[in-house]
Amino acid sequence: MRSNYKAEPYRIKMVEPINQISKEKRKERLAQAGYNPFALKSEDVYIDLLTDSGTGAMSDKQWGALMQGDEAYAGSRSFYRLEGVVKHITNYQCFMPVHQGRGAEQVLLPALVKHEHMHFISNMHFDTTRAHVEIAGARAIDCVIDACFDTKTHHPFKGNFDTKRLKTLIEEKGKENIAGIIMTITNNSAGGQPVSMDNLKETAAIARGYDIPIIIDGARYAENAYFVKQREKGYEHKSILAIAQEAFALADIFMMSAKKDGLVNIGGVLAIKENEALFEQCRSRVVPLEGFPTYGCMSGRDMEALAVGLEEALDEDYLEHRTDQVKYLGDKLKAAGVPIQWPTGGHAVFVDCKAMVPHIPYHQFPAQAVVNALYEASGVRGVEIGSLLLGRDPDTKENIESPVEFMRLTIPRRTYTYNHLDVVADGVIEVYQNKDRLKGLDFVYEPPVLRHFTAKFKPL
Ligand SMILES: *Cc1c(COP(=O)(O)O)cnc(C)c1O
């Protein structure tokens, strides 16, 4: 099967040893972690597919750039270098670094919430984005196409907005009550699924018609551009940069977790096309929350590494290999009968646990049970994306039933080889073969916000 895939477009200059602790130890460690893999020590994990956020490998060029960081508190040369790269990619006039994606969220979102009972509408809000929408006193509404939740059916752009529903929602809520339309590219929460340029255009036209600000939550905008090039007519011959620029031209604001397509371990971007007044508001918020506007919680050396990383992430050979790794793992699982979100997206394989363990109800967190079983079986750490992550309704406090129950196997950038993915596939297939024996979980401790990070469970 491997023969269809090109070898890694890089060679290894530095190694970090990893090892697999015994099955008995894994069982013990998982129990100590309260059956929540977030509480595991990384040294007890063999292959870590918890997230692709800040877990990738930097290039030799990025490590070289680190040495050139200008650590001036104000007016750092590294800030201007990074600003130049961000402006080149987005054509936006205003830029400020922030500590990571949620830094941009906490600086920007409250500035858009003008009064009570406002809403943000997104194809799908990422979990921290939803949390910051709610902290800002607004409500988050997801408006993705239905195909997104149908894992078996092939659709090239499962991240697309349901534009018909979007219009109805705006009419229903009243345009003055919509604080912004958030385009999440790619759609992290439902499979790293891309959004087509056609859909971005249609969504932008609707938002413009109602004079609603358009925000790109673009942690993986380069991966999205790659899928547009691969899957959308008319983009075959365009560069990734040109496709990305076309997307940014449609929006007003760009928030980015640079820990994804920035190819760095920490950092974030907030850029605004031309609204100086909004930028001023964000600048006054960024100082107490993140830091002086020319560093915003990033060191000079980190800004240098990000300036290089943003450009490397637009490289087509790199993007081909990255998305191929995801596809490879997905193909292997699918061939063994494991239900997955199909086609595979940009950064992870999403195993459909609703289909895999239908005997576990949503309030017993089926995907968390599968994640735990995988860790026990092979030392591979995945993560739950389902009802546990979704949390409780902010008004009624009831558990919300997620339309999907996924185990996300997230592939860090430039970090693991195809051999590692074979180990992952073997582990998942073993769990799949014993799926009928898996049991659900109940809370021992449940924190009030972003509960999935620190909750503790007992197996039922
Ligand atoms: C990761 C992510 C964020 C939040 O970024 P952090 O760097 O984790 O704070 C926001 N939106 C999307 C789509 C993401 O993937």
Side-chain angles (χ1 to χ4, degrees), residues 352-370:
D352 182 353
C353 299
K354 210 175 196 168
M356 179 166 160
V357 285
H359 59 284
I360 305 178
Y362 75 94
H363 52 86
Q364 292 175 10
F365 312 122
Q368 185 81 351
V370 176

mmCIF file of all heavy atoms in Angstrom, residues 352-370:
data_model
loop_
_atom_site.group_PDB
_atom_site.id
_atom_site.type_symbol
_atom_site.label_atom_id
_atom_site.label_comp_id
_atom_site.label_asym_id
_atom_site.label_seq_id
_atom_site.Cartn_x
_atom_site.Cartn_y
_atom_site.Cartn_z
ATOM 1 N N ASP A 352 -15.041 7.098 13.588
ATOM 2 C CA ASP A 352 -16.453 7.302 13.923
ATOM 3 C C ASP A 352 -16.867 6.323 15.019
ATOM 4 O O ASP A 352 -17.234 5.177 14.738
ATOM 5 C CB ASP A 352 -17.304 7.107 12.658
ATOM 6 C CG ASP A 352 -18.784 7.340 12.916
ATOM 7 O OD1 ASP A 352 -19.173 7.515 14.094
ATOM 8 O OD2 ASP A 352 -19.550 7.334 11.946
ATOM 9 N N CYS A 353 -16.840 6.756 16.260
ATOM 10 C CA CYS A 353 -17.111 5.866 17.385
ATOM 11 C C CYS A 353 -18.605 5.650 17.609
ATOM 12 O O CYS A 353 -19.010 4.701 18.259
ATOM 13 C CB CYS A 353 -16.445 6.400 18.649
ATOM 14 S SG CYS A 353 -14.655 6.495 18.464
ATOM 15 N N LYS A 354 -19.409 6.534 17.055
ATOM 16 C CA LYS A 354 -20.861 6.331 17.112
ATOM 17 C C LYS A 354 -21.189 5.058 16.340
ATOM 18 O O LYS A 354 -22.000 4.249 16.778
ATOM 19 C CB LYS A 354 -21.550 7.542 16.458
ATOM 20 C CG LYS A 354 -22.893 7.866 17.006
ATOM 21 C CD LYS A 354 -23.402 9.155 16.365
ATOM 22 C CE LYS A 354 -24.548 9.722 17.163
ATOM 23 N NZ LYS A 354 -24.875 11.087 16.758
ATOM 24 N N ALA A 355 -20.528 4.896 15.196
ATOM 25 C CA ALA A 355 -20.738 3.692 14.388
ATOM 26 C C ALA A 355 -19.994 2.498 14.975
ATOM 27 O O ALA A 355 -20.447 1.365 14.870
ATOM 28 C CB ALA A 355 -20.263 3.949 12.951
ATOM 29 N N MET A 356 -18.870 2.755 15.612
ATOM 30 C CA MET A 356 -18.027 1.654 16.083
ATOM 31 C C MET A 356 -18.551 1.030 17.372
ATOM 32 O O MET A 356 -18.567 -0.190 17.508
ATOM 33 C CB MET A 356 -16.605 2.178 16.295
ATOM 34 C CG MET A 356 -15.615 1.164 16.814
ATOM 35 S SD MET A 356 -13.945 1.829 16.620
ATOM 36 C CE MET A 356 -13.059 0.813 17.800
ATOM 37 N N VAL A 357 -18.982 1.863 18.339
ATOM 38 C CA VAL A 357 -19.487 1.317 19.609
ATOM 39 C C VAL A 357 -20.886 1.878 19.916
ATOM 40 O O VAL A 357 -21.072 2.608 20.884
ATOM 41 C CB VAL A 357 -18.510 1.594 20.790
ATOM 42 C CG1 VAL A 357 -17.304 0.691 20.711
ATOM 43 C CG2 VAL A 357 -18.055 3.051 20.835
ATOM 44 N N PRO A 358 -21.864 1.498 19.077
ATOM 45 C CA PRO A 358 -23.214 2.071 19.238
ATOM 46 C C PRO A 358 -23.868 1.681 20.569
ATOM 47 O O PRO A 358 -24.847 2.301 20.969
ATOM 48 C CB PRO A 358 -23.988 1.487 18.045
ATOM 49 C CG PRO A 358 -23.227 0.275 17.635
ATOM 50 C CD PRO A 358 -21.796 0.543 17.960
ATOM 51 N N HIS A 359 -23.288 0.683 21.260
ATOM 52 C CA HIS A 359 -23.889 0.266 22.536
ATOM 53 C C HIS A 359 -23.555 1.236 23.677
ATOM 54 O O HIS A 359 -24.117 1.140 24.757
ATOM 55 C CB HIS A 359 -23.450 -1.160 22.895
ATOM 56 C CG HIS A 359 -21.960 -1.332 23.032
ATOM 57 N ND1 HIS A 359 -21.107 -1.400 21.948
ATOM 58 C CD2 HIS A 359 -21.168 -1.410 24.126
ATOM 59 C CE1 HIS A 359 -19.857 -1.549 22.384
ATOM 60 N NE2 HIS A 359 -19.861 -1.544 23.696
ATOM 61 N N ILE A 360 -22.628 2.191 23.444
ATOM 62 C CA ILE A 360 -22.303 3.175 24.492
ATOM 63 C C ILE A 360 -23.017 4.485 24.179
ATOM 64 O O ILE A 360 -22.762 5.108 23.155
ATOM 65 C CB ILE A 360 -20.771 3.396 24.587
ATOM 66 C CG1 ILE A 360 -20.049 2.053 24.800
ATOM 67 C CG2 ILE A 360 -20.439 4.393 25.700
ATOM 68 C CD1 ILE A 360 -18.537 2.159 24.863
ATOM 69 N N PRO A 361 -23.942 4.950 25.058
ATOM 70 C CA PRO A 361 -24.683 6.187 24.775
ATOM 71 C C PRO A 361 -23.799 7.437 24.924
ATOM 72 O O PRO A 361 -22.759 7.383 25.586
ATOM 73 C CB PRO A 361 -25.801 6.177 25.824
ATOM 74 C CG PRO A 361 -25.304 5.301 26.919
ATOM 75 C CD PRO A 361 -24.360 4.307 26.314
ATOM 76 N N TYR A 362 -24.260 8.546 24.326
ATOM 77 C CA TYR A 362 -23.431 9.757 24.261
ATOM 78 C C TYR A 362 -22.994 10.264 25.635
ATOM 79 O O TYR A 362 -21.894 10.781 25.792
ATOM 80 C CB TYR A 362 -24.150 10.867 23.479
ATOM 81 C CG TYR A 362 -25.270 11.545 24.222
ATOM 82 C CD1 TYR A 362 -25.042 12.716 24.944
ATOM 83 C CD2 TYR A 362 -26.562 11.038 24.202
ATOM 84 C CE1 TYR A 362 -26.067 13.337 25.646
ATOM 85 C CE2 TYR A 362 -27.586 11.654 24.885
ATOM 86 C CZ TYR A 362 -27.337 12.801 25.606
ATOM 87 O OH TYR A 362 -28.340 13.416 26.291
ATOM 88 N N HIS A 363 -23.854 10.097 26.646
ATOM 89 C CA HIS A 363 -23.519 10.626 27.971
ATOM 90 C C HIS A 363 -22.559 9.716 28.734
ATOM 91 O O HIS A 363 -22.168 10.022 29.853
ATOM 92 C CB HIS A 363 -24.791 10.915 28.777
ATOM 93 C CG HIS A 363 -25.729 9.752 28.834
ATOM 94 N ND1 HIS A 363 -25.625 8.766 29.766
ATOM 95 C CD2 HIS A 363 -26.768 9.408 28.018
ATOM 96 C CE1 HIS A 363 -26.565 7.856 29.542
ATOM 97 N NE2 HIS A 363 -27.280 8.227 28.493
ATOM 98 N N GLN A 364 -22.177 8.599 28.074
ATOM 99 C CA GLN A 364 -21.112 7.753 28.638
ATOM 100 C C GLN A 364 -19.859 7.839 27.768
ATOM 101 O O GLN A 364 -18.950 7.043 27.912
ATOM 102 C CB GLN A 364 -21.596 6.311 28.785
ATOM 103 C CG GLN A 364 -22.679 6.160 29.844
ATOM 104 C CD GLN A 364 -23.239 4.748 29.916
ATOM 105 O OE1 GLN A 364 -22.712 3.822 29.305
ATOM 106 N NE2 GLN A 364 -24.309 4.571 30.660
ATOM 107 N N PHE A 365 -19.842 8.778 26.850
ATOM 108 C CA PHE A 365 -18.668 9.174 26.077
ATOM 109 C C PHE A 365 -17.986 8.023 25.319
ATOM 110 O O PHE A 365 -16.876 7.600 25.654
ATOM 111 C CB PHE A 365 -17.681 9.918 26.983
ATOM 112 C CG PHE A 365 -18.365 10.979 27.803
ATOM 113 C CD1 PHE A 365 -18.314 10.969 29.181
ATOM 114 C CD2 PHE A 365 -19.129 11.957 27.178
ATOM 115 C CE1 PHE A 365 -18.988 11.924 29.932
ATOM 116 C CE2 PHE A 365 -19.801 12.926 27.909
ATOM 117 C CZ PHE A 365 -19.730 12.902 29.301
ATOM 118 N N PRO A 366 -18.670 7.543 24.266
ATOM 119 C CA PRO A 366 -18.154 6.407 23.497
ATOM 120 C C PRO A 366 -16.732 6.614 22.948
ATOM 121 O O PRO A 366 -15.911 5.697 23.008
ATOM 122 C CB PRO A 366 -19.167 6.251 22.356
ATOM 123 C CG PRO A 366 -20.006 7.485 22.367
ATOM 124 C CD PRO A 366 -19.977 8.001 23.760
ATOM 125 N N ALA A 367 -16.462 7.813 22.446
ATOM 126 C CA ALA A 367 -15.141 8.018 21.835
ATOM 127 C C ALA A 367 -14.043 8.029 22.900
ATOM 128 O O ALA A 367 -12.926 7.562 22.658
ATOM 129 C CB ALA A 367 -15.126 9.322 21.024
ATOM 130 N N GLN A 368 -14.368 8.534 24.083
ATOM 131 C CA GLN A 368 -13.374 8.521 25.165
ATOM 132 C C GLN A 368 -13.041 7.066 25.534
ATOM 133 O O GLN A 368 -11.888 6.736 25.810
ATOM 134 C CB GLN A 368 -13.931 9.275 26.390
ATOM 135 C CG GLN A 368 -12.939 9.440 27.532
ATOM 136 C CD GLN A 368 -11.974 10.604 27.320
ATOM 137 O OE1 GLN A 368 -11.922 11.196 26.234
ATOM 138 N NE2 GLN A 368 -11.201 10.936 28.316
ATOM 139 N N ALA A 369 -14.038 6.198 25.505
ATOM 140 C CA ALA A 369 -13.807 4.782 25.801
ATOM 141 C C ALA A 369 -12.861 4.165 24.765
ATOM 142 O O ALA A 369 -11.971 3.382 25.106
ATOM 143 C CB ALA A 369 -15.137 4.039 25.831
ATOM 144 N N VAL A 370 -13.046 4.545 23.499
ATOM 145 C CA VAL A 370 -12.185 3.998 22.436
ATOM 146 C C VAL A 370 -10.768 4.556 22.572
ATOM 147 O O VAL A 370 -9.772 3.829 22.430
ATOM 148 C CB VAL A 370 -12.776 4.311 21.036
ATOM 149 C CG1 VAL A 370 -11.844 3.839 19.929
ATOM 150 C CG2 VAL A 370 -14.152 3.660 20.880
#
